[in-house]
Amino acid sequence: MHGKSRKAVLTIAGSDPSGGAGIQADLKTFTVLGVYAGAAITCLTVQNTRGVLYYKPLAADLIKDQIMTVLEDIEVSHIKIGMVGSPEIAYALSEILAEFQGEIVYDPVLVASAGNALHQEDACHEIINQLLDKITVLTPNRTELENISNQACPDPTAALAAAASLFKRADRLQAVVVTGGHLEPQSSTVTDHLLYRSAPDGTIQIKSATRPRLATNNLHGTGCTFASAFTAYHYLSNNYEIAFEQTSRFMGDLIKISAQLSIGHGIGPLGHHLLALSSERHDRKA
Ligand code: PLP
């Protein structure tokens, strides 16, 4: 369907050997949405669906070499960033990103779904500060938004104000997508929010998209998948609003179809492969 394009996406993230989150979730998402993606690994995590036992950040030079070798050869229009892991890695990435002209979507992964931290202690602000002024799109959940903005987000109004405040701190930032899963946990629906700079005057516009909340344990990797889907849909549409609407709908469909899965003993993963089996149905929705 998209075979003629020479451009590609590159995901930069940590590895989850259980296949639910990280670079594995990213590649599954890009594949099921018909977008070619390369993958540079920042950290190796040791985990299963029950939680993260430990992780090892790779050497910053090794990560830099992976990325530069790909960028020198393949025309990459979109970079998606997930788990960074250490300030040294963030610094190495920020040097590369400063030169990169395309779209940079950052999912500011801080904590795994099972509650384990995915960065060195107290490194969260250093990592964010290295990256925030280089990226074009940020996709935080409630906790990540609270950390980055230093503002409590007890309700959607506060979350929107916190997200809006980030544009003043980040010159290249064009859009913030606040994922809704943790915003109103008691609600029977999930509402995602898009804030974006609109042409020509750069005023901040807001869009929201609501989907049903499903009772399911299979939510491991939803943050990674959301950010990858947004990247893929933006690659395909070159439009933040369209990418946002399609991503929110895709997440609703994917979470629904994944509820039937029973993988592992902890927080179950999403079943991207179930959508690959029903590609006809999926194409119609995209
Ligand atoms: N990246 C890696 C490598 C992870 O291991 C995890 C969670 O375990 C995440 C990102 C974040 O996962 P989620 O999408 O569930 O927030």
Short mmCIF file of all heavy atoms in Angstrom, two decimals, residues 13-18 20-26 42-48 51-52 55 80 82-84 107 109-114 116 118 141 144 182 219-226 267 270, ligand 1:
data_model
loop_
_atom_site.label_atom_id
_atom_site.label_comp_id
_atom_site.label_asym_id
_atom_site.label_seq_id
_atom_site.Cartn_x
_atom_site.Cartn_y
_atom_site.Cartn_z
N ALA A 13 14.63 2.95 21.43
CA ALA A 13 13.92 2.56 22.66
C ALA A 13 14.62 1.38 23.33
O ALA A 13 15.61 0.85 22.82
CB ALA A 13 12.47 2.19 22.31
N GLY A 14 14.08 0.98 24.47
CA GLY A 14 14.61 -0.17 25.19
C GLY A 14 13.97 -1.46 24.70
O GLY A 14 12.89 -1.45 24.11
N SER A 15 14.66 -2.57 24.97
CA SER A 15 14.15 -3.88 24.56
C SER A 15 13.37 -4.53 25.70
O SER A 15 13.84 -4.54 26.84
CB SER A 15 15.32 -4.77 24.15
OG SER A 15 14.93 -6.13 24.18
N ASP A 16 12.21 -5.07 25.40
CA ASP A 16 11.42 -5.85 26.35
C ASP A 16 11.33 -7.27 25.82
O ASP A 16 10.56 -7.54 24.89
CB ASP A 16 10.01 -5.23 26.48
CG ASP A 16 9.06 -6.15 27.25
OD1 ASP A 16 9.49 -7.21 27.75
OD2 ASP A 16 7.87 -5.80 27.34
N PRO A 17 12.12 -8.20 26.39
CA PRO A 17 12.16 -9.55 25.81
C PRO A 17 10.84 -10.30 25.90
O PRO A 17 10.64 -11.28 25.18
CB PRO A 17 13.25 -10.25 26.63
CG PRO A 17 13.31 -9.49 27.91
CD PRO A 17 12.98 -8.07 27.56
N SER A 18 9.92 -9.82 26.75
CA SER A 18 8.62 -10.51 26.81
C SER A 18 7.72 -10.07 25.66
O SER A 18 6.64 -10.64 25.45
CB SER A 18 7.93 -10.27 28.16
OG SER A 18 7.46 -8.94 28.26
N GLY A 20 6.01 -7.30 25.01
CA GLY A 20 4.83 -6.47 25.18
C GLY A 20 5.06 -4.99 25.00
O GLY A 20 4.19 -4.28 24.51
N ALA A 21 6.23 -4.51 25.44
CA ALA A 21 6.48 -3.07 25.43
C ALA A 21 7.77 -2.78 24.66
O ALA A 21 8.28 -3.63 23.94
CB ALA A 21 6.58 -2.55 26.87
N GLY A 22 8.28 -1.55 24.81
CA GLY A 22 9.57 -1.20 24.23
C GLY A 22 9.62 -1.37 22.73
O GLY A 22 8.61 -1.26 22.02
N ILE A 23 10.83 -1.66 22.26
CA ILE A 23 11.09 -1.69 20.83
C ILE A 23 10.28 -2.79 20.13
O ILE A 23 9.89 -2.66 18.97
CB ILE A 23 12.62 -1.84 20.62
CG1 ILE A 23 13.07 -1.09 19.38
CG2 ILE A 23 13.08 -3.30 20.60
CD1 ILE A 23 14.22 -0.19 19.62
N GLN A 24 10.00 -3.86 20.89
CA GLN A 24 9.20 -4.94 20.31
C GLN A 24 7.78 -4.45 20.01
O GLN A 24 7.23 -4.71 18.94
CB GLN A 24 9.16 -6.14 21.27
CG GLN A 24 10.46 -6.92 21.36
CD GLN A 24 11.52 -6.30 22.26
OE1 GLN A 24 11.33 -5.20 22.79
NE2 GLN A 24 12.63 -6.99 22.44
N ALA A 25 7.18 -3.71 20.96
CA ALA A 25 5.83 -3.16 20.73
C ALA A 25 5.85 -2.15 19.59
O ALA A 25 4.93 -2.09 18.76
CB ALA A 25 5.31 -2.51 22.00
N ASP A 26 6.92 -1.35 19.55
CA ASP A 26 7.03 -0.33 18.49
C ASP A 26 7.02 -0.98 17.11
O ASP A 26 6.26 -0.59 16.22
CB ASP A 26 8.33 0.47 18.65
CG ASP A 26 8.36 1.31 19.92
OD1 ASP A 26 7.33 1.37 20.62
OD2 ASP A 26 9.42 1.89 20.21
N THR A 42 18.43 1.28 23.14
CA THR A 42 19.12 2.08 24.15
C THR A 42 19.50 1.26 25.38
O THR A 42 20.55 1.48 25.98
CB THR A 42 18.20 3.22 24.65
OG1 THR A 42 16.97 2.64 25.10
CG2 THR A 42 17.92 4.24 23.56
N CYS A 43 18.60 0.36 25.79
CA CYS A 43 18.78 -0.40 27.03
C CYS A 43 18.24 -1.80 26.81
O CYS A 43 17.29 -1.99 26.05
CB CYS A 43 17.94 0.20 28.17
SG CYS A 43 18.29 1.91 28.55
N LEU A 44 18.83 -2.75 27.50
CA LEU A 44 18.25 -4.10 27.54
C LEU A 44 17.57 -4.26 28.89
O LEU A 44 18.22 -4.09 29.93
CB LEU A 44 19.35 -5.16 27.38
CG LEU A 44 20.13 -5.11 26.06
CD1 LEU A 44 21.20 -6.19 26.05
CD2 LEU A 44 19.20 -5.29 24.86
N THR A 45 16.28 -4.54 28.88
CA THR A 45 15.61 -4.82 30.14
C THR A 45 15.48 -6.33 30.30
O THR A 45 15.44 -7.07 29.32
CB THR A 45 14.19 -4.21 30.22
OG1 THR A 45 13.31 -4.95 29.36
CG2 THR A 45 14.18 -2.74 29.82
N VAL A 46 15.46 -6.76 31.55
CA VAL A 46 15.21 -8.17 31.87
C VAL A 46 13.85 -8.19 32.55
O VAL A 46 13.70 -7.69 33.67
CB VAL A 46 16.32 -8.72 32.79
CG1 VAL A 46 15.99 -10.14 33.22
CG2 VAL A 46 17.66 -8.66 32.08
N GLN A 47 12.84 -8.65 31.83
CA GLN A 47 11.48 -8.57 32.37
C GLN A 47 10.58 -9.61 31.76
O GLN A 47 10.87 -10.20 30.72
CB GLN A 47 10.89 -7.18 32.15
CG GLN A 47 10.63 -6.83 30.70
CD GLN A 47 9.92 -5.48 30.54
OE1 GLN A 47 8.82 -5.29 31.03
NE2 GLN A 47 10.58 -4.55 29.85
N ASN A 48 9.47 -9.85 32.44
CA ASN A 48 8.36 -10.60 31.86
C ASN A 48 7.09 -9.82 32.19
O ASN A 48 7.17 -8.65 32.59
CB ASN A 48 8.34 -12.05 32.37
CG ASN A 48 8.29 -12.14 33.88
OD1 ASN A 48 7.78 -11.23 34.55
ND2 ASN A 48 8.82 -13.22 34.44
N GLY A 51 6.92 -8.06 35.70
CA GLY A 51 7.66 -6.86 36.06
C GLY A 51 9.08 -6.87 35.52
O GLY A 51 9.53 -7.86 34.93
N VAL A 52 9.77 -5.74 35.75
CA VAL A 52 11.15 -5.58 35.29
C VAL A 52 12.09 -6.00 36.41
O VAL A 52 12.03 -5.44 37.50
CB VAL A 52 11.43 -4.11 34.90
CG1 VAL A 52 12.85 -3.94 34.39
CG2 VAL A 52 10.43 -3.62 33.86
N TYR A 55 17.68 -3.64 34.38
CA TYR A 55 18.00 -3.28 32.99
C TYR A 55 19.42 -2.77 32.92
O TYR A 55 20.00 -2.33 33.93
CB TYR A 55 17.02 -2.23 32.45
CG TYR A 55 17.17 -0.88 33.09
CD1 TYR A 55 18.06 0.06 32.54
CD2 TYR A 55 16.46 -0.53 34.22
CE1 TYR A 55 18.22 1.30 33.13
CE2 TYR A 55 16.63 0.71 34.81
CZ TYR A 55 17.51 1.62 34.27
OH TYR A 55 17.67 2.85 34.85
N LYS A 80 11.00 8.04 16.55
CA LYS A 80 10.18 7.85 17.75
C LYS A 80 11.10 7.41 18.89
O LYS A 80 11.92 6.51 18.70
CB LYS A 80 9.10 6.80 17.48
CG LYS A 80 8.12 6.59 18.63
CD LYS A 80 8.39 5.30 19.34
CE LYS A 80 7.80 5.34 20.75
NZ LYS A 80 8.17 4.15 21.54
N GLY A 82 11.52 6.15 22.94
CA GLY A 82 10.88 5.61 24.14
C GLY A 82 11.82 5.68 25.32
O GLY A 82 12.36 6.74 25.64
N MET A 83 12.12 4.51 25.94
CA MET A 83 12.99 4.48 27.12
C MET A 83 14.40 4.97 26.76
O MET A 83 15.04 4.44 25.87
CB MET A 83 13.06 3.04 27.64
CG MET A 83 13.98 2.87 28.82
SD MET A 83 14.08 1.12 29.29
CE MET A 83 15.20 1.24 30.68
N VAL A 84 14.86 5.98 27.49
CA VAL A 84 16.21 6.51 27.26
C VAL A 84 17.18 5.88 28.26
O VAL A 84 18.24 5.41 27.88
CB VAL A 84 16.19 8.05 27.39
CG1 VAL A 84 17.60 8.63 27.35
CG2 VAL A 84 15.34 8.65 26.27
N ASP A 107 7.95 9.55 23.67
CA ASP A 107 7.11 8.99 24.73
C ASP A 107 7.98 8.98 25.98
O ASP A 107 8.88 8.15 26.08
CB ASP A 107 6.68 7.56 24.34
CG ASP A 107 5.93 6.86 25.46
OD1 ASP A 107 5.37 7.55 26.32
OD2 ASP A 107 5.91 5.61 25.46
N VAL A 109 8.97 7.78 28.71
CA VAL A 109 8.85 6.59 29.56
C VAL A 109 9.66 6.76 30.84
O VAL A 109 10.86 6.98 30.78
CB VAL A 109 9.40 5.36 28.79
CG1 VAL A 109 9.38 4.14 29.69
CG2 VAL A 109 8.64 5.12 27.53
N LEU A 110 9.01 6.69 31.97
CA LEU A 110 9.71 6.82 33.25
C LEU A 110 9.57 5.56 34.08
O LEU A 110 10.49 5.14 34.77
CB LEU A 110 9.16 8.02 34.03
CG LEU A 110 9.23 9.37 33.32
CD1 LEU A 110 8.52 10.43 34.14
CD2 LEU A 110 10.68 9.76 33.10
N VAL A 111 8.38 4.96 34.02
CA VAL A 111 8.07 3.84 34.90
C VAL A 111 7.38 2.76 34.07
O VAL A 111 6.54 3.07 33.22
CB VAL A 111 7.11 4.32 36.03
CG1 VAL A 111 6.71 3.17 36.93
CG2 VAL A 111 7.75 5.42 36.85
N ALA A 112 7.72 1.48 34.30
CA ALA A 112 7.05 0.38 33.61
C ALA A 112 5.64 0.22 34.16
O ALA A 112 5.35 0.65 35.28
CB ALA A 112 7.84 -0.91 33.79
N SER A 113 4.78 -0.43 33.37
CA SER A 113 3.38 -0.61 33.80
C SER A 113 3.31 -1.30 35.16
O SER A 113 2.42 -1.05 35.95
CB SER A 113 2.58 -1.41 32.79
OG SER A 113 3.28 -1.59 31.61
N ALA A 114 4.29 -2.19 35.46
CA ALA A 114 4.29 -2.91 36.74
C ALA A 114 4.85 -2.06 37.87
O ALA A 114 4.94 -2.52 39.01
CB ALA A 114 5.09 -4.20 36.60
N ASN A 116 8.00 -0.42 38.00
CA ASN A 116 9.45 -0.29 38.16
C ASN A 116 9.97 0.93 37.39
O ASN A 116 9.56 1.17 36.26
CB ASN A 116 10.16 -1.54 37.62
CG ASN A 116 9.44 -2.82 38.00
OD1 ASN A 116 8.36 -3.10 37.47
ND2 ASN A 116 10.00 -3.58 38.89
N LEU A 118 12.31 3.13 35.07
CA LEU A 118 13.08 2.77 33.88
C LEU A 118 14.16 3.82 33.59
O LEU A 118 14.48 4.11 32.45
CB LEU A 118 12.14 2.61 32.67
CG LEU A 118 11.24 1.37 32.74
CD1 LEU A 118 10.20 1.39 31.64
CD2 LEU A 118 12.06 0.08 32.65
N ASN A 141 1.64 10.24 29.62
CA ASN A 141 0.44 9.91 30.38
C ASN A 141 0.38 10.86 31.58
O ASN A 141 1.21 11.76 31.71
CB ASN A 141 0.42 8.42 30.78
CG ASN A 141 1.58 8.07 31.70
OD1 ASN A 141 2.15 8.92 32.38
ND2 ASN A 141 1.95 6.80 31.71
N GLU A 144 3.63 11.00 33.80
CA GLU A 144 4.75 11.59 33.06
C GLU A 144 4.55 13.09 32.91
O GLU A 144 5.49 13.88 33.08
CB GLU A 144 4.86 10.90 31.70
CG GLU A 144 5.29 9.44 31.82
CD GLU A 144 4.97 8.56 30.62
OE1 GLU A 144 4.25 9.01 29.70
OE2 GLU A 144 5.41 7.39 30.63
N HIS A 182 -5.09 7.14 32.49
CA HIS A 182 -4.97 7.40 33.94
C HIS A 182 -5.57 8.74 34.36
O HIS A 182 -5.46 9.13 35.52
CB HIS A 182 -3.50 7.37 34.36
CG HIS A 182 -2.81 6.08 34.01
ND1 HIS A 182 -2.99 4.93 34.74
CD2 HIS A 182 -1.99 5.76 32.99
CE1 HIS A 182 -2.28 3.95 34.19
NE2 HIS A 182 -1.67 4.43 33.12
N LEU A 219 -2.74 -4.54 29.21
CA LEU A 219 -2.44 -3.14 28.90
C LEU A 219 -0.93 -2.87 28.89
O LEU A 219 -0.51 -1.72 28.76
CB LEU A 219 -3.13 -2.21 29.92
CG LEU A 219 -4.66 -2.22 29.86
CD1 LEU A 219 -5.25 -1.47 31.04
CD2 LEU A 219 -5.17 -1.62 28.55
N HIS A 220 -0.12 -3.91 29.04
CA HIS A 220 1.33 -3.72 29.01
C HIS A 220 1.75 -3.27 27.61
O HIS A 220 1.38 -3.90 26.62
CB HIS A 220 2.00 -5.06 29.36
CG HIS A 220 3.49 -5.02 29.38
ND1 HIS A 220 4.21 -4.10 30.12
CD2 HIS A 220 4.42 -5.80 28.77
CE1 HIS A 220 5.50 -4.31 29.96
NE2 HIS A 220 5.66 -5.34 29.14
N GLY A 221 2.43 -2.15 27.55
CA GLY A 221 2.88 -1.65 26.24
C GLY A 221 1.93 -0.67 25.58
O GLY A 221 2.17 -0.28 24.43
N THR A 222 0.89 -0.23 26.30
CA THR A 222 -0.05 0.70 25.64
C THR A 222 0.60 2.07 25.35
O THR A 222 0.31 2.68 24.33
CB THR A 222 -1.33 0.93 26.49
OG1 THR A 222 -0.96 1.10 27.85
CG2 THR A 222 -2.29 -0.22 26.38
N GLY A 223 1.49 2.52 26.25
CA GLY A 223 2.15 3.82 26.03
C GLY A 223 3.04 3.78 24.80
O GLY A 223 2.98 4.67 23.94
N CYS A 224 3.85 2.72 24.71
CA CYS A 224 4.75 2.56 23.55
C CYS A 224 3.94 2.46 22.27
O CYS A 224 4.28 3.06 21.24
CB CYS A 224 5.58 1.28 23.69
SG CYS A 224 6.44 1.12 25.25
N THR A 225 2.88 1.67 22.34
CA THR A 225 2.06 1.44 21.15
C THR A 225 1.36 2.73 20.72
O THR A 225 1.30 3.04 19.53
CB THR A 225 1.04 0.32 21.44
OG1 THR A 225 1.76 -0.87 21.75
CG2 THR A 225 0.13 0.08 20.25
N PHE A 226 0.85 3.50 21.70
CA PHE A 226 0.19 4.75 21.37
C PHE A 226 1.15 5.68 20.62
O PHE A 226 0.83 6.23 19.56
CB PHE A 226 -0.33 5.43 22.65
CG PHE A 226 -1.25 6.59 22.39
CD1 PHE A 226 -2.61 6.49 22.63
CD2 PHE A 226 -0.75 7.80 21.88
CE1 PHE A 226 -3.45 7.56 22.38
CE2 PHE A 226 -1.60 8.86 21.62
CZ PHE A 226 -2.96 8.75 21.88
N ILE A 267 0.78 -8.43 34.04
CA ILE A 267 0.01 -7.51 33.18
C ILE A 267 0.21 -7.95 31.74
O ILE A 267 1.33 -7.89 31.20
CB ILE A 267 0.49 -6.06 33.39
CG1 ILE A 267 0.30 -5.67 34.87
CG2 ILE A 267 -0.28 -5.11 32.48
CD1 ILE A 267 0.86 -4.32 35.22
N LEU A 270 -0.56 -6.33 24.70
CA LEU A 270 -1.51 -6.15 23.61
C LEU A 270 -1.23 -7.18 22.51
O LEU A 270 -0.10 -7.64 22.38
CB LEU A 270 -1.37 -4.73 23.02
CG LEU A 270 -1.70 -3.59 23.99
CD1 LEU A 270 -1.28 -2.25 23.39
CD2 LEU A 270 -3.19 -3.59 24.30
N1 PLP B 1 10.02 0.65 27.27
C1 PLP B 1 10.48 -0.49 27.82
C2 PLP B 1 11.76 -1.08 27.36
C3 PLP B 1 9.73 -1.09 28.80
O1 PLP B 1 10.20 -2.21 29.34
C4 PLP B 1 8.49 -0.50 29.21
C5 PLP B 1 7.68 -1.13 30.23
O2 PLP B 1 7.94 -2.17 30.75
C6 PLP B 1 8.06 0.66 28.61
C7 PLP B 1 8.86 1.20 27.64
C8 PLP B 1 6.78 1.34 28.97
O3 PLP B 1 5.71 0.51 28.82
P1 PLP B 1 4.21 1.06 28.66
O4 PLP B 1 3.96 1.25 27.22
O5 PLP B 1 3.39 -0.04 29.24
O6 PLP B 1 4.12 2.34 29.40
#
